[in-house]
Amino acid sequence: TSWQPDEFDAEFFAIAPREAAGMDPQQRLLMEVTWEALENAGIDPRRIRGSQTGVFVGVTTSDYYHALSGQLRREDIDPYIPFGSAPNFAAGRLSYFLGARGPAVVMDTACSSSLVSIHLACQSLRRGESDHALAAGVNLILTPENSIACSRWGMLAPDGQCKTFDVAANGYVRSEGCGVVVLKRLSDAQRDGDRILAVVRGSGVGQDGASSGQTVPNGPAQQELLRRVLTTARLDPAEIDYIEAHGTGTGLGDPIE
């Protein structure tokens, strides 16, 4: 196309000062990274307007809202405070600014939120309700409460080092960041001459169900999910060359996973 990434127009994402003050920084970061993802995909964000583009975002914390609301008098709370920080606005705001008309969904499945967003985005593409899909996950640590709670629960590594699958594993480390991927049906991407970085052959979502504790993994349940996804992807286990695992970094969870 003739469009160049350096044509970014700040007015496209213009935000009123009052609205900006009430907006969760997670949503600001998500907007910036989404723009970068579209640039990387060679898609002019303005061409999203009116299209069946789905937005699927994983968000699991609301630190900014709790910190901000606790400092304000009731008479100082305006509509931007609760709605600007509401998790559903993370997806809704993107759809609004981009003019996307596909599904706009925010999900919280804890550590798997961003992966579940990719799963739901793929399902939406396969069903034909979306022609493009933005799948994302964002997390910022803005208050200490969650870290304090996780530490007292014995989840966090006292030395700040995550030693997953190591005999010295004694907890995980909380982190921040944002990631956005632009997804299309493979046939559409090939037709449009897109630069294809990867193909999602299959995906699946499951809960461990009953185990020895709500935060304790269930080995057989995870094995069953892996087998189901391999069947969906029409792959044999021997064809898998690389596995990226989510380890809890704890002496209890790591051996199970």
Side-chain angles (χ1 to χ4, degrees), residues 108-131:
D108 176 7
T109 59
C111 304
S112 62
S113 297
S114 57
L115 290 176
V116 173
S117 74
I118 292 178
H119 171 74
L120 294 182
C122 290
Q123 296 290 81
S124 182
L125 289 167
R126 290 191 176 101
R127 288 195 299 267
E129 66 181 11
S130 297
D131 293 322

Side-chain angles (χ1 to χ4, degrees), residues 57-257:
V57 182
V59 180
T60 192
T61 59
S62 300
D63 289 7
Y64 186 71
Y65 173 72
H66 294 300
L68 195 62
S69 61
Q71 298 174 0
L72 297 175
R73 299 174 302 171
R74 291 184 177 178
E75 55 267 31
D76 294 331
I77 297 177
D78 60 31
Y80 297 118
I81 302 301
F83 296 112
S85 295
N88 60 79
F89 262 59
R93 189 187 301 279
L94 274 181
S95 294
Y96 168 73
F97 279 111
L98 294 172
R101 296 184 178 178
V105 182
V106 170
M107 64 226 64
D108 176 7
T109 59
C111 304
S112 62
S113 297
S114 57
L115 290 176
V116 173
S117 74
I118 292 178
H119 171 74
L120 294 182
C122 290
Q123 296 290 81
S124 182
L125 289 167
R126 290 191 176 101
R127 288 195 299 267
E129 66 181 11
S130 297
D131 293 322
H132 292 80
L134 301 171
V138 63
N139 185 65
L140 290 178
I141 302 172
L142 304 173
T143 61
E145 283 78 8
N146 283 333
S147 294
I148 293 171
C150 289
S151 179
R152 289 181 174 173
W153 208 345
M155 292 180 172
L156 299 186
D159 58 0
Q161 299 285 330
C162 188
K163 300 168 283 294
T164 303
F165 303 129
D166 191 292
V167 68
N170 59 354
Y172 70 94
V173 180
R174 300 187 69 207
S175 60
E176 302 175 299
C178 178
V180 180
V181 294
V182 181
L183 302 171
K184 292 174 70 173
R185 286 180 288 272
L186 179 59
S187 57
D188 292 346
Q190 292 172 329
R191 177 200 64 201
D192 297 338
D194 292 330
R195 181 166 60 101
I196 301 171
L197 300 180
V199 177
V200 181
R201 292 284 298 271
S203 64
V205 173
Q207 223 285 341
D208 279 356
S211 64
S212 60
Q214 188 167 345
T215 60
V216 179
N218 182 327
Q222 294 192 11
Q223 293 171 24
E224 179 183 340
L225 176 60
L226 286 171
R227 293 190 182 100
R228 189 163 68 245
V229 173
L230 285 168
T231 299
T232 300
R234 299 178 182 177
L235 290 172
D236 184 88
E239 297 179 80
I240 306 300
D241 297 316
Y242 176 82
I243 294 177
E244 182 176 344
H246 166 70
T248 62
T250 64
L252 173 62
D254 278 5
I256 299 174
E257 297 199 332

